[in-house]
Amino acid sequence: MSESPPSARSAPTVPYASYLRVYEPLAAFPEPERAHWADYARRGAAPTAQDELRRSLTDLVRVPVVGVPAHESADAFTAEVEGVLLVCPWRTRLRGWLALQELVESFPGPVLDAALPPVARRRAAEDYERWRERNPDARPWIRTGVWQVPLRWFVLVAQEEREYLPGERLRYRTPMVQARRRLARALRALREAEGYGVLADGLVEVGSWLEEFHPRSMVELDYGGLLHALPAAGLAADRSAGELAEGLAALRAGDAEGAAEAYGVLADRWRAVRERLFAN
């Protein structure tokens, strides 16, 4: 497996964000986009996830603040698997609109007003509404977690798919067919048990998203900037995917107590990570 080379890392590393990405085969894209990505991959100078995040943060410190980019990104992440080029478009503008919706739902008005003036939010909402009318089926190839890896993401991957290079990356990569199979199996177990409604609902939503992509796609769970924000010893010993799989196996075996214990330990660990969001 090969992938596009990283760009120079002269700027400071930006922590906080993890990512769930889908890489689709080139054949999944219509023309002229297919030709664009083929040429893009041949150039071999794709930016990194940190580059993407820095560009987003740069917009937020401009005057006036740019909450959502005026133009869609023409960048993507690429990988080659068994001779097949896979592409994960950034779609930064679309993700900016979706993130803004989440902010409006999650934060009180005064906090939002201080970060992004009402007039800017209103303009962004109007732009998104017009764009959505022209692109009703559009969806992002990338999902972002802030100061966490959402536990439901670990359902999609297996512990043996973990790739860890200290100081460089911690990620899982799996074929789409495997991710869908694991999700469906986990959902059956969760629906037959009690007390896991939130996790089950989250899986339903992720499953609906995955169904939008080509069956020969690849799913990537990337710790992203968390690799630079969490202790190296903890990252080296991290078995989150394996622990969640063990909890689900206990649930399927009728061991409700064992499942609850495994899930509780995992949830507490990631809750402690999320609480860093509010540390100063």
Side-chain angles (χ1 to χ4, degrees):
M1 177 184 297
S2 64
E3 58 189 315
S4 48
S7 61
R9 295 174 179 263
S10 56
T13 300
V14 181
Y16 319 132
S18 64
Y19 306 94
L20 185 65
R21 305 187 183 101
V22 172
Y23 292 70
E24 287 197 281
L26 197 60
F29 296 90
E31 293 290 4
E33 189 176 8
R34 183 185 307 174
H36 167 76
W37 294 131
D39 180 65
Y40 182 91
R42 281 194 294 269
R43 294 201 302 267
T48 68
Q50 286 292 309
D51 294 325
E52 181 199 16
L53 186 54
R54 290 189 192 103
R55 292 180 192 177
S56 299
L57 294 177
T58 298
D59 284 340
L60 292 177
V61 298
R62 289 178 179 172
V63 180
V65 172
V66 178
V68 176
H71 302 286
E72 188 55 272
S73 172
D75 283 307
F77 300 114
T78 64
E80 188 173 309
V81 180
E82 298 179 353
V84 177
L85 175 64
L86 302 176
V87 180
C88 176
W90 283 10
R91 291 296 191 270
T92 307
R93 194 179 192 214
L94 172 57
R95 289 162 55 212
W97 279 320
L98 298 176
L100 185 56
Q101 289 181 335
E102 292 179 5
L103 286 176
V104 171
E105 296 170 359
S106 303
F107 289 89
V111 174
L112 281 172
D113 291 347
L116 193 62
V119 64
R121 299 203 307 274
R122 184 167 56 253
R123 185 182 305 114
E126 292 170 352
D127 288 345
Y128 179 56
E129 185 175 348
R130 288 191 294 268
W131 182 89
R132 196 69 182 177
E133 290 177 355
R134 301 191 302 272
N135 303 273
D137 298 323
R139 75 282 196 255
W141 279 256
I142 304 173
R143 293 187 161 210
T144 304
V146 178
W147 272 118
Q148 64 171 320
V149 176
L151 297 187
R152 59 187 176 274
W153 291 4
F154 288 115
V155 170
L156 308 177
V157 298
Q159 186 64 33
E160 59 267 24
E161 293 167 339
R162 181 177 185 266
E163 303 174 31
Y164 178 49
L165 293 178
E168 294 187 29
R169 69 169 179 256
L170 198 170
R171 72 185 182 195
Y172 299 78
R173 284 180 162 182
T174 194
M176 175 65 77
V177 64
Q178 284 281 30
R180 289 175 177 170
R181 185 178 296 124
R182 289 168 183 149
L183 187 148
R185 193 167 183 230
L187 196 53
R188 285 195 298 270
L190 293 170
R191 282 173 167 168
E192 292 171 359
E194 295 183 2
Y196 297 94
V198 173
L199 182 57
D201 290 345
L203 281 182
V204 169
E205 194 270 335
V206 171
S208 297
W209 177 63
L210 292 180
E211 287 296 328
E212 297 292 325
F213 297 99
H214 194 284
R216 293 191 63 192
S217 299
M218 177 181 72
V219 177
E220 178 182 75
L221 191 167
D222 183 0
Y223 275 48
L226 291 177
L227 183 68
H228 308 283
L230 301 178
L235 291 167
D238 182 87
R239 292 190 66 258
S240 294
E243 289 169 340
L244 187 56
E246 291 163 4
L248 288 168
L251 207 57
R252 284 190 288 269
D255 181 6
E257 184 176 342
E261 181 178 357
Y263 184 73
V265 169
L266 189 60
D268 287 345
R269 184 187 313 137
W270 282 100
R271 186 178 300 112
V273 174
R274 287 198 305 276
E275 287 174 353
R276 297 186 180 211
L277 172 64
F278 305 103
N280 192 332

